[in-house]
PDB file of all heavy atoms in Angstrom:
ATOM      1  N   ALA J 815     -13.977  15.306  -5.542  1.00 97.00           N
ATOM      2  CA  ALA J 815     -13.504  15.523  -4.117  1.00 97.00           C
ATOM      3  C   ALA J 815     -12.787  17.003  -4.035  1.00 97.00           C
ATOM      4  O   ALA J 815     -12.208  17.434  -4.978  1.00 97.00           O
ATOM      5  CB  ALA J 815     -12.520  14.468  -3.806  1.00 97.00           C
ATOM      6  N   ARG J 816     -13.011  17.529  -2.798  1.00 96.00           N
ATOM      7  CA  ARG J 816     -12.187  18.673  -2.512  1.00 96.00           C
ATOM      8  C   ARG J 816     -11.089  18.182  -1.581  1.00 96.00           C
ATOM      9  O   ARG J 816     -11.360  17.692  -0.555  1.00 96.00           O
ATOM     10  CB  ARG J 816     -13.047  19.753  -1.810  1.00 96.00           C
ATOM     11  CG  ARG J 816     -14.093  20.439  -2.703  1.00 96.00           C
ATOM     12  CD  ARG J 816     -14.729  21.660  -2.012  1.00 96.00           C
ATOM     13  NE  ARG J 816     -15.515  21.348  -0.839  1.00 96.00           N
ATOM     14  CZ  ARG J 816     -15.366  21.740   0.314  1.00 96.00           C
ATOM     15  NH1 ARG J 816     -14.288  22.667   0.601  1.00 96.00           N
ATOM     16  NH2 ARG J 816     -16.112  21.445   1.379  1.00 96.00           N
ATOM     17  N   MET J 817      -9.823  18.411  -2.011  1.00 96.00           N
ATOM     18  CA  MET J 817      -8.701  17.837  -1.316  1.00 96.00           C
ATOM     19  C   MET J 817      -7.936  18.880  -0.520  1.00 96.00           C
ATOM     20  O   MET J 817      -7.723  20.003  -0.971  1.00 96.00           O
ATOM     21  CB  MET J 817      -7.725  17.254  -2.332  1.00 96.00           C
ATOM     22  CG  MET J 817      -8.225  15.944  -2.908  1.00 96.00           C
ATOM     23  SD  MET J 817      -7.114  15.137  -4.123  1.00 96.00           S
ATOM     24  CE  MET J 817      -7.623  15.881  -5.650  1.00 96.00           C
ATOM     25  N   ARG J 818      -7.663  18.457   0.766  1.00 95.00           N
ATOM     26  CA  ARG J 818      -6.829  19.344   1.638  1.00 95.00           C
ATOM     27  C   ARG J 818      -5.515  18.567   1.695  1.00 95.00           C
ATOM     28  O   ARG J 818      -5.327  17.550   2.325  1.00 95.00           O
ATOM     29  CB  ARG J 818      -7.460  19.377   2.993  1.00 95.00           C
ATOM     30  CG  ARG J 818      -6.725  20.266   4.008  1.00 95.00           C
ATOM     31  CD  ARG J 818      -7.635  20.656   5.131  1.00 95.00           C
ATOM     32  NE  ARG J 818      -8.351  19.426   5.720  1.00 95.00           N
ATOM     33  CZ  ARG J 818      -9.580  19.521   6.320  1.00 95.00           C
ATOM     34  NH1 ARG J 818     -10.173  20.713   6.446  1.00 95.00           N
ATOM     35  NH2 ARG J 818     -10.172  18.368   6.731  1.00 95.00           N
ATOM     36  N   LEU J 819      -4.486  19.175   1.025  1.00 95.00           N
ATOM     37  CA  LEU J 819      -3.180  18.481   0.939  1.00 95.00           C
ATOM     38  C   LEU J 819      -2.384  18.710   2.187  1.00 95.00           C
ATOM     39  O   LEU J 819      -2.158  19.868   2.620  1.00 95.00           O
ATOM     40  CB  LEU J 819      -2.459  18.981  -0.306  1.00 95.00           C
ATOM     41  CG  LEU J 819      -3.121  18.791  -1.733  1.00 95.00           C
ATOM     42  CD1 LEU J 819      -2.318  19.375  -2.837  1.00 95.00           C
ATOM     43  CD2 LEU J 819      -3.434  17.369  -1.915  1.00 95.00           C
ATOM     44  N   LEU J 820      -1.843  17.708   2.803  1.00 96.00           N
ATOM     45  CA  LEU J 820      -1.197  17.726   4.078  1.00 96.00           C
ATOM     46  C   LEU J 820       0.109  16.967   3.988  1.00 96.00           C
ATOM     47  O   LEU J 820       0.358  16.108   3.135  1.00 96.00           O
ATOM     48  CB  LEU J 820      -2.052  17.061   5.197  1.00 96.00           C
ATOM     49  CG  LEU J 820      -3.441  17.785   5.328  1.00 96.00           C
ATOM     50  CD1 LEU J 820      -4.296  16.883   6.282  1.00 96.00           C
ATOM     51  CD2 LEU J 820      -3.197  19.182   5.980  1.00 96.00           C
ATOM     52  N   PRO J 821       1.060  17.196   4.964  1.00 95.00           N
ATOM     53  CA  PRO J 821       2.402  16.573   4.888  1.00 95.00           C
ATOM     54  C   PRO J 821       2.191  15.071   5.416  1.00 95.00           C
ATOM     55  O   PRO J 821       1.144  14.666   5.937  1.00 95.00           O
ATOM     56  CB  PRO J 821       3.215  17.294   5.917  1.00 95.00           C
ATOM     57  CG  PRO J 821       2.216  17.976   6.764  1.00 95.00           C
ATOM     58  CD  PRO J 821       1.004  18.296   5.984  1.00 95.00           C
ATOM     59  N   LEU J 822       3.252  14.246   5.144  1.00 92.00           N
ATOM     60  CA  LEU J 822       3.253  12.820   5.587  1.00 92.00           C
ATOM     61  C   LEU J 822       3.061  12.787   7.050  1.00 92.00           C
ATOM     62  O   LEU J 822       3.747  13.508   7.784  1.00 92.00           O
ATOM     63  CB  LEU J 822       4.496  12.203   5.082  1.00 92.00           C
ATOM     64  CG  LEU J 822       4.650  10.686   5.250  1.00 92.00           C
ATOM     65  CD1 LEU J 822       3.632   9.976   4.398  1.00 92.00           C
ATOM     66  CD2 LEU J 822       6.015  10.187   5.017  1.00 92.00           C
ATOM     67  N   GLN J 823       2.171  11.969   7.463  1.00 90.00           N
ATOM     68  CA  GLN J 823       1.951  11.770   8.958  1.00 90.00           C
ATOM     69  C   GLN J 823       3.039  10.891   9.576  1.00 90.00           C
ATOM     70  O   GLN J 823       3.510   9.948   8.953  1.00 90.00           O
ATOM     71  CB  GLN J 823       0.597  11.207   9.263  1.00 90.00           C
ATOM     72  CG  GLN J 823      -0.525  12.242   9.139  1.00 90.00           C
ATOM     73  CD  GLN J 823      -1.752  11.789   9.977  1.00 90.00           C
ATOM     74  OE1 GLN J 823      -2.068  10.583   9.929  1.00 90.00           O
ATOM     75  NE2 GLN J 823      -2.293  12.762  10.693  1.00 90.00           N
ATOM     76  N   PRO J 824       3.410  11.142  10.845  1.00 89.00           N
ATOM     77  CA  PRO J 824       4.263  10.236  11.579  1.00 89.00           C
ATOM     78  C   PRO J 824       3.647   8.755  11.622  1.00 89.00           C
ATOM     79  O   PRO J 824       2.504   8.484  11.781  1.00 89.00           O
ATOM     80  CB  PRO J 824       4.241  10.775  13.005  1.00 89.00           C
ATOM     81  CG  PRO J 824       3.922  12.196  12.901  1.00 89.00           C
ATOM     82  CD  PRO J 824       2.991  12.276  11.713  1.00 89.00           C
ATOM     83  N   GLY J 825       4.567   7.812  11.336  1.00 86.00           N
ATOM     84  CA  GLY J 825       4.124   6.396  11.234  1.00 86.00           C
ATOM     85  C   GLY J 825       3.707   5.995   9.832  1.00 86.00           C
ATOM     86  O   GLY J 825       3.678   4.749   9.665  1.00 86.00           O
ATOM     87  N   ASP J 826       3.482   6.884   8.959  1.00 88.00           N
ATOM     88  CA  ASP J 826       3.154   6.422   7.547  1.00 88.00           C
ATOM     89  C   ASP J 826       4.339   6.288   6.735  1.00 88.00           C
ATOM     90  O   ASP J 826       5.513   6.818   6.990  1.00 88.00           O
ATOM     91  CB  ASP J 826       2.302   7.616   6.903  1.00 88.00           C
ATOM     92  CG  ASP J 826       0.794   7.464   7.186  1.00 88.00           C
ATOM     93  OD1 ASP J 826       0.452   6.381   7.810  1.00 88.00           O
ATOM     94  OD2 ASP J 826       0.067   8.275   6.750  1.00 88.00           O
ATOM     95  N   VAL J 827       4.251   5.573   5.629  1.00 90.00           N
ATOM     96  CA  VAL J 827       5.302   5.426   4.632  1.00 90.00           C
ATOM     97  C   VAL J 827       4.759   5.842   3.234  1.00 90.00           C
ATOM     98  O   VAL J 827       3.555   5.743   2.967  1.00 90.00           O
ATOM     99  CB  VAL J 827       5.846   3.967   4.550  1.00 90.00           C
ATOM    100  CG1 VAL J 827       6.398   3.563   5.870  1.00 90.00           C
ATOM    101  CG2 VAL J 827       4.797   3.001   4.175  1.00 90.00           C
ATOM    102  N   PRO J 828       5.589   6.288   2.389  1.00 93.00           N
ATOM    103  CA  PRO J 828       5.129   6.881   1.071  1.00 93.00           C
ATOM    104  C   PRO J 828       4.556   5.773   0.130  1.00 93.00           C
ATOM    105  O   PRO J 828       3.639   6.031  -0.579  1.00 93.00           O
ATOM    106  CB  PRO J 828       6.389   7.506   0.498  1.00 93.00           C
ATOM    107  CG  PRO J 828       7.300   7.723   1.637  1.00 93.00           C
ATOM    108  CD  PRO J 828       7.018   6.622   2.546  1.00 93.00           C
ATOM    109  N   ALA J 829       5.106   4.598   0.178  1.00 95.00           N
ATOM    110  CA  ALA J 829       4.680   3.590  -0.785  1.00 95.00           C
ATOM    111  C   ALA J 829       4.725   2.154  -0.230  1.00 95.00           C
ATOM    112  O   ALA J 829       5.640   1.848   0.593  1.00 95.00           O
ATOM    113  CB  ALA J 829       5.562   3.741  -2.021  1.00 95.00           C
ATOM    114  N   THR J 830       3.833   1.304  -0.729  1.00 96.00           N
ATOM    115  CA  THR J 830       3.902  -0.130  -0.449  1.00 96.00           C
ATOM    116  C   THR J 830       3.672  -0.899  -1.710  1.00 96.00           C
ATOM    117  O   THR J 830       2.866  -0.466  -2.561  1.00 96.00           O
ATOM    118  CB  THR J 830       2.869  -0.593   0.669  1.00 96.00           C
ATOM    119  OG1 THR J 830       1.548  -0.276   0.095  1.00 96.00           O
ATOM    120  CG2 THR J 830       3.088   0.239   1.936  1.00 96.00           C
ATOM    121  N   CYS J 831       4.273  -2.081  -1.773  1.00 97.00           N
ATOM    122  CA  CYS J 831       4.114  -2.982  -2.915  1.00 97.00           C
ATOM    123  C   CYS J 831       4.522  -4.368  -2.435  1.00 97.00           C
ATOM    124  O   CYS J 831       5.575  -4.497  -1.902  1.00 97.00           O
ATOM    125  CB  CYS J 831       4.961  -2.470  -4.117  1.00 97.00           C
ATOM    126  SG  CYS J 831       4.810  -3.656  -5.477  1.00 97.00           S
ATOM    127  N   ALA J 832       3.615  -5.316  -2.680  1.00 98.00           N
ATOM    128  CA  ALA J 832       3.833  -6.653  -2.162  1.00 98.00           C
ATOM    129  C   ALA J 832       4.409  -7.558  -3.260  1.00 98.00           C
ATOM    130  O   ALA J 832       3.854  -7.701  -4.339  1.00 98.00           O
ATOM    131  CB  ALA J 832       2.534  -7.255  -1.699  1.00 98.00           C
ATOM    132  N   ASP J 833       5.485  -8.235  -2.819  1.00 98.00           N
ATOM    133  CA  ASP J 833       6.025  -9.378  -3.710  1.00 98.00           C
ATOM    134  C   ASP J 833       5.262 -10.617  -3.173  1.00 98.00           C
ATOM    135  O   ASP J 833       5.297 -11.030  -2.028  1.00 98.00           O
ATOM    136  CB  ASP J 833       7.473  -9.559  -3.408  1.00 98.00           C
ATOM    137  CG  ASP J 833       8.178 -10.746  -4.165  1.00 98.00           C
ATOM    138  OD1 ASP J 833       7.343 -11.730  -4.618  1.00 98.00           O
ATOM    139  OD2 ASP J 833       9.283 -10.707  -4.350  1.00 98.00           O
ATOM    140  N   VAL J 834       4.396 -11.234  -4.091  1.00 98.00           N
ATOM    141  CA  VAL J 834       3.556 -12.314  -3.586  1.00 98.00           C
ATOM    142  C   VAL J 834       4.040 -13.712  -4.331  1.00 98.00           C
ATOM    143  O   VAL J 834       3.152 -14.627  -4.406  1.00 98.00           O
ATOM    144  CB  VAL J 834       2.089 -12.015  -3.958  1.00 98.00           C
ATOM    145  CG1 VAL J 834       1.558 -10.856  -3.065  1.00 98.00           C
ATOM    146  CG2 VAL J 834       1.803 -11.751  -5.459  1.00 98.00           C
ATOM    147  N   GLU J 835       5.210 -13.719  -4.773  1.00 97.00           N
ATOM    148  CA  GLU J 835       5.687 -14.991  -5.459  1.00 97.00           C
ATOM    149  C   GLU J 835       5.607 -16.117  -4.502  1.00 97.00           C
ATOM    150  O   GLU J 835       5.245 -17.255  -4.930  1.00 97.00           O
ATOM    151  CB  GLU J 835       7.127 -14.731  -5.947  1.00 97.00           C
ATOM    152  CG  GLU J 835       7.179 -13.844  -7.125  1.00 97.00           C
ATOM    153  CD  GLU J 835       8.561 -13.749  -7.799  1.00 97.00           C
ATOM    154  OE1 GLU J 835       9.447 -14.444  -7.357  1.00 97.00           O
ATOM    155  OE2 GLU J 835       8.811 -12.938  -8.744  1.00 97.00           O
ATOM    156  N   ASP J 836       5.986 -15.951  -3.218  1.00 97.00           N
ATOM    157  CA  ASP J 836       5.965 -17.148  -2.346  1.00 97.00           C
ATOM    158  C   ASP J 836       4.498 -17.637  -2.079  1.00 97.00           C
ATOM    159  O   ASP J 836       4.205 -18.876  -2.092  1.00 97.00           O
ATOM    160  CB  ASP J 836       6.552 -16.642  -1.040  1.00 97.00           C
ATOM    161  CG  ASP J 836       8.026 -16.708  -1.049  1.00 97.00           C
ATOM    162  OD1 ASP J 836       8.549 -16.041  -2.061  1.00 97.00           O
ATOM    163  OD2 ASP J 836       8.668 -17.194  -0.089  1.00 97.00           O
ATOM    164  N   LEU J 837       3.594 -16.733  -2.007  1.00 98.00           N
ATOM    165  CA  LEU J 837       2.183 -17.110  -1.813  1.00 98.00           C
ATOM    166  C   LEU J 837       1.651 -17.855  -3.050  1.00 98.00           C
ATOM    167  O   LEU J 837       1.042 -18.865  -2.930  1.00 98.00           O
ATOM    168  CB  LEU J 837       1.285 -15.833  -1.552  1.00 98.00           C
ATOM    169  CG  LEU J 837      -0.230 -16.117  -1.450  1.00 98.00           C
ATOM    170  CD1 LEU J 837      -0.527 -16.740  -0.075  1.00 98.00           C
ATOM    171  CD2 LEU J 837      -0.949 -14.779  -1.660  1.00 98.00           C
ATOM    172  N   ALA J 838       1.971 -17.300  -4.191  1.00 98.00           N
ATOM    173  CA  ALA J 838       1.489 -17.941  -5.502  1.00 98.00           C
ATOM    174  C   ALA J 838       2.113 -19.330  -5.602  1.00 98.00           C
ATOM    175  O   ALA J 838       1.392 -20.333  -5.962  1.00 98.00           O
ATOM    176  CB  ALA J 838       1.887 -17.120  -6.575  1.00 98.00           C
ATOM    177  N   ALA J 839       3.371 -19.494  -5.272  1.00 97.00           N
ATOM    178  CA  ALA J 839       4.060 -20.792  -5.393  1.00 97.00           C
ATOM    179  C   ALA J 839       3.518 -21.778  -4.378  1.00 97.00           C
ATOM    180  O   ALA J 839       3.324 -23.005  -4.687  1.00 97.00           O
ATOM    181  CB  ALA J 839       5.521 -20.644  -5.108  1.00 97.00           C
ATOM    182  N   ALA J 840       3.076 -21.270  -3.156  1.00 97.00           N
ATOM    183  CA  ALA J 840       2.596 -22.187  -2.088  1.00 97.00           C
ATOM    184  C   ALA J 840       1.174 -22.652  -2.236  1.00 97.00           C
ATOM    185  O   ALA J 840       0.886 -23.798  -2.074  1.00 97.00           O
ATOM    186  CB  ALA J 840       2.767 -21.530  -0.762  1.00 97.00           C
ATOM    187  N   VAL J 841       0.268 -21.705  -2.720  1.00 97.00           N
ATOM    188  CA  VAL J 841      -1.125 -22.029  -2.629  1.00 97.00           C
ATOM    189  C   VAL J 841      -1.779 -21.777  -4.067  1.00 97.00           C
ATOM    190  O   VAL J 841      -3.016 -21.950  -4.227  1.00 97.00           O
ATOM    191  CB  VAL J 841      -1.874 -21.243  -1.662  1.00 97.00           C
ATOM    192  CG1 VAL J 841      -1.300 -21.580  -0.275  1.00 97.00           C
ATOM    193  CG2 VAL J 841      -1.848 -19.738  -1.841  1.00 97.00           C
ATOM    194  N   GLY J 842      -1.015 -21.394  -5.094  1.00 97.00           N
ATOM    195  CA  GLY J 842      -1.533 -21.196  -6.349  1.00 97.00           C
ATOM    196  C   GLY J 842      -2.529 -20.028  -6.537  1.00 97.00           C
ATOM    197  O   GLY J 842      -3.418 -20.147  -7.379  1.00 97.00           O
ATOM    198  N   PHE J 843      -2.250 -18.934  -5.784  1.00 97.00           N
ATOM    199  CA  PHE J 843      -3.148 -17.823  -5.911  1.00 97.00           C
ATOM    200  C   PHE J 843      -2.425 -16.544  -5.613  1.00 97.00           C
ATOM    201  O   PHE J 843      -1.568 -16.521  -4.706  1.00 97.00           O
ATOM    202  CB  PHE J 843      -4.259 -18.030  -4.891  1.00 97.00           C
ATOM    203  CG  PHE J 843      -5.191 -16.809  -4.676  1.00 97.00           C
ATOM    204  CD1 PHE J 843      -6.151 -16.493  -5.648  1.00 97.00           C
ATOM    205  CD2 PHE J 843      -5.046 -15.891  -3.625  1.00 97.00           C
ATOM    206  CE1 PHE J 843      -6.954 -15.334  -5.520  1.00 97.00           C
ATOM    207  CE2 PHE J 843      -5.795 -14.778  -3.462  1.00 97.00           C
ATOM    208  CZ  PHE J 843      -6.797 -14.497  -4.376  1.00 97.00           C
ATOM    209  N   SER J 844      -2.780 -15.498  -6.291  1.00 96.00           N
ATOM    210  CA  SER J 844      -2.307 -14.118  -5.914  1.00 96.00           C
ATOM    211  C   SER J 844      -3.498 -13.155  -6.184  1.00 96.00           C
ATOM    212  O   SER J 844      -4.214 -13.335  -7.236  1.00 96.00           O
ATOM    213  CB  SER J 844      -1.170 -13.745  -6.686  1.00 96.00           C
ATOM    214  OG  SER J 844      -1.185 -13.850  -8.080  1.00 96.00           O
ATOM    215  N   PRO J 845      -3.733 -12.154  -5.418  1.00 96.00           N
ATOM    216  CA  PRO J 845      -4.808 -11.204  -5.597  1.00 96.00           C
ATOM    217  C   PRO J 845      -4.692 -10.457  -6.912  1.00 96.00           C
ATOM    218  O   PRO J 845      -3.637 -10.271  -7.448  1.00 96.00           O
ATOM    219  CB  PRO J 845      -4.524 -10.194  -4.424  1.00 96.00           C
ATOM    220  CG  PRO J 845      -3.865 -11.022  -3.382  1.00 96.00           C
ATOM    221  CD  PRO J 845      -2.908 -11.894  -4.102  1.00 96.00           C
TER     222      PRO J 845
END
């Protein structure tokens, strides 16, 4: 890839990470 590095866009966040313990406990599954 040829990358064009740009600043963070309005509305975006730098990082996401899901705590899925409740899902796993309720239905026995996590991605």
Side-chain angles (χ1 to χ4, degrees):
R816 290 192 293 123
M817 289 183 265
R818 183 161 47 207
L819 301 180
L820 299 170
L822 187 70
Q823 281 205 316
D826 271 355
V827 297
T830 65
C831 176
D833 179 337
V834 293
E835 287 186 5
D836 284 48
L837 178 72
V841 300
F843 172 77
S844 58

